[in-house]
Amino acid sequence: MGEDVGRLRVAVVGTGLIGGSILLRLHEAGVRVTGWDPDPATRAEGRRRGIDFPDELGDAVRDRDVVFLGGPLPSLPETLLTVAGLTGDRCIVTDVGSTKEAVAGFAAAHGLTGRFVPGHPMAGTERAGLTAAQAGLFTDAAWVLCPSADGLVPFRTLVGLVVDVLGAHVVPMSPQVHDRVVALSSHVPHLLAGGLAGAAADSTVRDAVVRLAAGSFRDGTRVATTPARRTAAMLLSNRDQVLRQLAEVRAALDALAEAVRDDDLPTLVAHYERAGAVRPAGSGREQPVHRVFDLDADPAGELAFVRSVGESGGHLTGCAVARGTVTYTGLRPA
Amino acid sequence: MGEDVGRLRVAVVGTGLIGGSILLRLHEAGVRVTGWDPDPATRAEGRRRGIDFPDELGDAVRDRDVVFLGGPLPSLPETLLTVAGLTGDRCIVTDVGSTKEAVAGFAAAHGLTGRFVPGHPMAGTERAGLTAAQAGLFTDAAWVLCPSADGLVPFRTLVGLVVDVLGAHVVPMSPQVHDRVVALSSHVPHLLAGGLAGAAADSTVRDAVVRLAAGSFRDGTRVATTPARRTAAMLLSNRDQVLRQLAEVRAALDALAEAVRDDDLPTLVAHYERAGAVRPAGSGREQPVHRVFDLDADPAGELAFVRSVGESGGHLTGCAVARGTVTYTGLRPA
């Protein structure tokens, strides 16, 4: 880990599966880190593991350089305000919520974009709580960060921490693009699985459908069995983009249905050839990214660059500040 | 294998992956079997394996008790007519096509329901041809048979052959129910995968969607990468039922989208709880089936019984004819 990153004093507030895994990795890496959770049993569990876990939130975050906010998505705006009030203007705050536009808008409305960088580590397991946390959870995972133009200084620090200590790939995006992408890459697939499994459940030949289920049916309904309440909350947390991306998928389905109705083999073949090609991308060839910016320059260019890396399917592998410049390295699809 | 089944003389016409696997298993089991394929190289390959493969179709099927028809779906009606013309009235014919209503209607129009029993073994691999065939392909697979009221005699023989020699589970159904079930359990999932992958392919954030793809996206697009021409032909072969079942799934999606739009958490949770329960069924508890019918009785009762077993998610494990009765055994969901 870089020398700068190693000197940081960090706190993690809300130490469930995600926050707890961040905390465990930072502690394991020798970073000075404190934890806090509203649940006293979780604080006791943290102390049992030899980690500093004050009873008061203020004692956990005061004098920290970086605070990670975990916990349930709806709690994050209030926690952000509370932590911002307990810390100084130079304290960097980031969160781990699964949608970003709402919390980014909240931060802007409260003048916090200069120190709050919305984040979303794309990792998880079926389990929950600090007892399920794993220090290696983020190794090689994608970690979205959504800096504002006035938040590039904290962003650069977080890139170092996320890449060098947490072992993840930083994917910078605007909050809007993030929510659009996850709607299509995660939320709408849950809706389709719910629609297919729901139609099967309501079918008069339900048990025969299950009996004769091909791999396509098992694949297409798998996530319909994840905990119903979590799926429902996830869909509602990104409501507008979920509905918008579902409309796109429905338009594609309309075109497919029309081709089936018209007995139009060439159109169907062309669609599946184009659609099938979408999957291997990203696992394909990548080209290196290397860009240097003047720290005194207009931040718009640097912001546009880092966002373009993530929004085009790439990620950052490093960020070094030295002699008045910042150097970004990364990979993007060739 | 039962003594009766062992005495049968069988032919397989069209020895690609499915027909070839039937042929290999029958040959391996010591059943007297001949093969035929329009492709001379395939006939040569069959002979190389020590199996009787005449050059003339008539020589392969004449004097046979049972003929299996393989080959591409559109070729089956014509092959059925040809084989029926080359064989006697007591020769049983069955096919392996993936949709059943059209070929059943064709057989009825040509007065062949008394000796032709439409079939659909639910097994396959990504490969094709006799060289890819495997004698064990059907072990524990579902094998749909669609007898008519006047086709119960050949049906009983086929149950013995399919269960005792080919090692599959016989799932009796009407042709209409079969096509409805496979539309929902196989064809519509391919449409949904095509819609999702198509929307992703057309998205302005396509590469980022792939980069951040959750398991739900990978599951939901997997079959969009199977050969485009085969997927398209499969969808068109069952056009009416595919469109009808897609409409059912779209209605379920409409209800989900409305709940998302209305921020209606309880409705979403209830839907996913009901939908999620559909998957484990069939892998759940089963109860034994045991029924005896008089061979002289009205066939309507026997036909209704065997169809009800398959259409309720069960299957037959045996069929024994003795002392003027037929005894069916099987399993169905408890």
Side-chain angles (χ1 to χ4, degrees):
Chain A
M1 106 181 96
E3 196 179 347
D4 291 350
V5 163
R7 273 205 303 264
L8 293 171
R9 290 156 304 174
V10 183
V12 181
V13 172
T15 56
L17 172 67
I18 302 294
S21 295
I22 296 171
L23 181 72
L24 292 184
R25 174 59 198 145
L26 292 170
H27 179 67
E28 174 186 276
V31 175
R32 287 170 292 172
V33 64
T34 54
W36 190 82
D37 195 274
D39 172 41
T42 298
R43 296 198 297 270
E45 166 69 16
R47 285 179 206 124
R48 215 182 47 74
R49 294 169 182 246
I51 302 171
D52 189 21
F53 250 93
D55 278 326
E56 298 298 323
L57 175 58
D59 295 334
V61 300
R62 198 170 296 123
D63 300 324
R64 294 287 117 178
D65 300 301
V66 178
V67 179
F68 287 87
L69 307 181
L73 189 69
S75 71
L76 292 173
E78 199 188 310
T79 310
L80 168 59
L81 266 196
T82 306
V83 168
L86 290 166
T87 54
D89 277 350
R90 294 176 55 103
C91 171
I92 299 167
V93 185
T94 186
D95 76 323
V96 303
S98 57
T99 58
K100 300 273 58 97
E101 195 169 355
V103 76
F106 181 89
H110 290 82
L112 293 170
T113 51
R115 53 188 287 220
F116 174 66
V117 182
H120 181 200
M122 309 285 287
T125 73
E126 294 298 300
R127 300 175 60 213
L130 179 56
T131 51
Q134 306 164 18
L137 188 64
F138 308 108
T139 305
D140 293 331
W143 191 307
V144 176
L145 289 174
C146 304
S148 302
D150 63 341
L152 287 170
V153 172
F155 169 73
R156 295 177 201 131
T157 302
L158 286 171
V159 172
L161 205 49
V162 168
V163 168
D164 293 342
V165 182
L166 293 158
H169 302 164
V170 170
V171 179
M173 290 179 159
S174 74
Q176 293 75 16
V177 168
H178 168 273
D179 287 3
R180 181 143 48 101
V181 168
V182 295
L184 199 48
S185 70
S186 167
H187 302 164
V188 168
H190 279 79
L191 273 180
L192 296 178
L196 179 58
D202 293 343
S203 171
T204 55
V205 288
R206 169 201 154 121
D207 288 337
V209 167
V210 173
R211 181 72 184 75
L212 299 190
S216 59
F217 182 85
R218 291 192 294 270
D219 284 343
T221 57
R222 186 164 293 121
V223 293
T225 61
T226 50
R229 185 160 296 274
R230 196 173 68 183
T231 299
M234 181 186 76
L235 293 171
L236 293 181
S237 74
N238 196 17
R239 196 174 53 181
D240 293 350
Q241 280 298 336
V242 165
L243 292 172
R244 218 165 290 166
Q245 298 306 315
L246 177 62
E248 299 293 328
V249 173
R250 296 191 62 136
L253 274 177
D254 283 342
L256 283 168
E258 193 186 327
V260 170
R261 200 172 291 117
D262 295 346
D263 216 358
D264 184 350
L265 185 74
T267 295
L268 283 173
V269 171
H271 177 96
Y272 277 95
E273 278 172 352
R274 201 180 79 252
V278 85
R279 296 193 71 243
S283 56
R285 283 179 311 122
E286 293 185 308
Q287 61 186 3
V289 169
H290 186 272
R291 275 288 286 276
V292 183
F293 293 91
D294 228 317
L295 292 181
D296 299 331
D298 177 0
E302 183 178 342
L303 181 65
F305 163 76
V306 297
R307 282 181 173 173
S308 80
V309 170
E311 293 174 5
S312 67
H315 65 272
L316 296 178
T317 54
C319 162
V321 176
R323 292 181 300 277
T325 65
V326 53
T327 302
Y328 289 102
T329 51
L331 291 168
R332 68 196 319 168
Chain B
M1 106 180 101
E3 198 179 347
D4 290 351
V5 163
R7 274 205 304 264
L8 293 172
R9 291 156 304 175
V10 183
V12 181
V13 171
T15 55
L17 173 69
I18 302 294
S21 296
I22 296 171
L23 181 72
L24 293 183
R25 175 60 198 144
L26 292 170
H27 180 66
E28 174 187 275
V31 174
R32 286 171 294 172
V33 65
T34 55
W36 190 81
D37 195 274
D39 173 40
T42 298
R43 297 199 297 271
E45 166 68 17
R47 286 179 205 125
R48 215 183 47 75
R49 293 169 181 247
I51 301 171
D52 190 21
F53 250 93
D55 277 325
E56 298 299 321
L57 174 57
D59 295 334
V61 301
R62 198 171 295 123
D63 299 325
R64 294 287 115 179
D65 300 301
V66 178
V67 180
F68 286 88
L69 306 182
L73 189 69
S75 72
L76 293 173
E78 198 188 311
T79 310
L80 169 58
L81 266 197
T82 306
V83 168
L86 290 166
T87 54
D89 279 349
R90 295 176 54 101
C91 172
I92 299 167
V93 185
T94 186
D95 76 323
V96 303
S98 58
T99 59
K100 300 276 56 100
E101 196 169 355
V103 76
F106 181 89
H110 289 83
L112 292 169
T113 52
R115 51 187 290 219
F116 174 66
V117 182
H120 181 200
M122 309 285 286
T125 72
E126 294 297 301
R127 301 176 58 213
L130 179 56
T131 50
Q134 306 165 18
L137 188 63
F138 308 109
T139 305
D140 292 331
W143 191 307
V144 176
L145 289 174
C146 304
S148 302
D150 64 340
L152 287 171
V153 172
F155 169 72
R156 295 177 200 129
T157 302
L158 287 172
V159 172
L161 206 48
V162 168
V163 168
D164 293 341
V165 182
L166 293 158
H169 301 163
V170 170
V171 179
M173 290 179 159
S174 74
Q176 292 74 18
V177 168
H178 167 274
D179 287 3
R180 182 142 46 103
V181 168
V182 294
L184 199 48
S185 71
S186 167
H187 303 164
V188 169
H190 279 80
L191 274 180
L192 296 178
L196 178 59
D202 292 343
S203 171
T204 55
V205 288
R206 168 201 155 121
D207 288 337
V209 167
V210 173
R211 180 71 183 77
L212 299 190
S216 59
F217 182 86
R218 290 191 295 269
D219 284 344
T221 56
R222 186 165 293 122
V223 293
T225 61
T226 51
R229 186 161 295 275
R230 196 172 70 184
T231 300
M234 182 186 75
L235 294 170
L236 293 181
S237 74
N238 197 17
R239 196 173 52 182
D240 293 351
Q241 279 299 338
V242 165
L243 292 172
R244 217 165 290 166
Q245 298 306 316
L246 177 62
E248 299 293 327
V249 172
R250 296 192 62 135
L253 274 176
D254 283 341
L256 282 168
E258 193 186 326
V260 171
R261 200 172 292 115
D262 296 346
D263 215 359
D264 183 350
L265 185 75
T267 295
L268 283 174
V269 171
H271 176 96
Y272 277 95
E273 279 172 352
R274 200 178 82 254
V278 85
R279 296 195 68 244
S283 55
R285 284 179 311 122
E286 294 186 307
Q287 62 186 2
V289 169
H290 186 271
R291 275 291 285 277
V292 182
F293 293 91
D294 229 317
L295 292 180
D296 298 333
D298 177 0
E302 183 178 340
L303 181 64
F305 163 74
V306 296
R307 283 181 172 173
S308 79
V309 170
E311 293 174 5
S312 66
H315 65 271
L316 296 178
T317 55
C319 161
V321 176
R323 292 181 301 277
T325 63
V326 54
T327 302
Y328 289 102
T329 51
L331 291 168
R332 69 196 318 168

